[in-house]
């Protein structure tokens, strides 16, 4: 019993002393400076900002089987080049076409969203997520339509 107690005490002492040892590599760890993390947006850093005139468009009434498009206008209101890396839709009935080139600060462009109403009926709400290097990195565009027969 005494040997077990001594063994447990020795294990505990080794564990506690190991927890207090400083790793030699700890001094070399440097955190990445990101001015857009916990403290919010730092206006002095170079970041693109994608600003849409409108993020929602209502097509109104559509006939079933109709395909219709709308172009969302945006501007890079930031102070660095904007790069749109992709667009994804909530449904295969909706696709987006977007600029594949850099948009310099102050320039504008369009993201064209096409909705195909084939097989749809009633009130439709579709969403397109725009992924870019802007802050925030994801923007949401919404289209609506009332599809009838």
């Amino acid at each position: 019993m005494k040997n077990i107690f001594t063994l447990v005490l020795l294990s505990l002492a080794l564990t506690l002393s190991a927890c207090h040892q400083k790793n030699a590599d700890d001094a070399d760890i440097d955190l990445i400076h990101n001015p857009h993390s916990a403290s919010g947006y730092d206006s002095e850093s170079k970041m693109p900002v994608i600003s849409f005139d409108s993020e929602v468009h209502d097509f109104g009434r559509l006939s079933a089987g109709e395909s219709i498009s709308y172009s969302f206008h945006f501007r890079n209101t930031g102070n660095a080049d904007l790069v749109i890396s992709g667009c994804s839709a909530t449904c295969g009935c909706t696709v987006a076409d977007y600029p594949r080139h850099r948009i310099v600060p102050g320039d504008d462009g369009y993201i064209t969203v096409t909705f195909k109403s084939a097989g749809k009926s009633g009130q439709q709400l579709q969403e397109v997520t725009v992924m870019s290097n802007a802050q925030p990195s994801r923007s949401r565009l919404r289209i609506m339509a009332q599809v009838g027969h």
Side-chain angles (χ1 to χ4, degrees):
M1 186 70 168
K2 185 177 180 181
N3 287 340
I4 292 175
F5 179 73
T6 305
L7 185 59
V8 169
L9 193 56
L10 181 61
S11 296
L12 183 60
L14 286 173
T15 302
L16 289 175
S17 67
C19 290
H20 294 291
Q21 291 178 352
K22 183 173 181 170
N23 188 343
D25 293 334
D26 286 348
D28 296 332
I29 295 175
D30 185 22
L31 298 177
I32 296 172
H33 176 68
N34 182 352
H36 309 289
S37 57
S39 62
Y41 182 72
D42 176 5
S43 62
E44 293 181 21
S45 66
K46 299 269 187 198
M47 282 297 291
V49 176
I50 189 167
S51 299
F52 288 93
D53 291 350
S54 173
E55 295 176 354
V56 177
H57 179 72
D58 188 349
F59 287 115
R61 292 187 142 311
L62 299 178
S63 298
E66 196 172 346
S67 180
I68 193 163
S69 298
Y70 179 79
S71 294
F72 289 91
H73 179 253
F74 69 88
R75 181 173 302 282
N76 179 359
T77 57
N79 54 14
D81 290 358
L82 171 68
V83 177
I84 298 173
S85 58
C87 292
S88 64
T90 53
C91 174
C93 62
T94 307
V95 294
D97 186 31
Y98 58 93
R100 297 328 197 253
H101 61 277
R102 293 178 174 271
I103 291 102
V104 298
D107 273 3
D108 62 350
Y110 292 90
I111 296 176
T112 302
V113 176
T114 301
F115 172 67
K116 298 174 186 170
S117 65
K120 303 287 184 190
S121 66
Q123 183 66 37
Q124 299 295 308
L125 174 62
Q126 302 298 329
E127 189 173 275
V128 173
T129 301
V130 179
M131 285 119 354
S132 71
N133 64 333
Q135 181 64 23
S137 64
R138 293 177 186 265
S139 302
R140 300 206 191 297
L141 303 175
R142 292 174 183 84
I143 57 167
M144 298 179 287
Q146 180 68 37
V147 180
H149 293 289

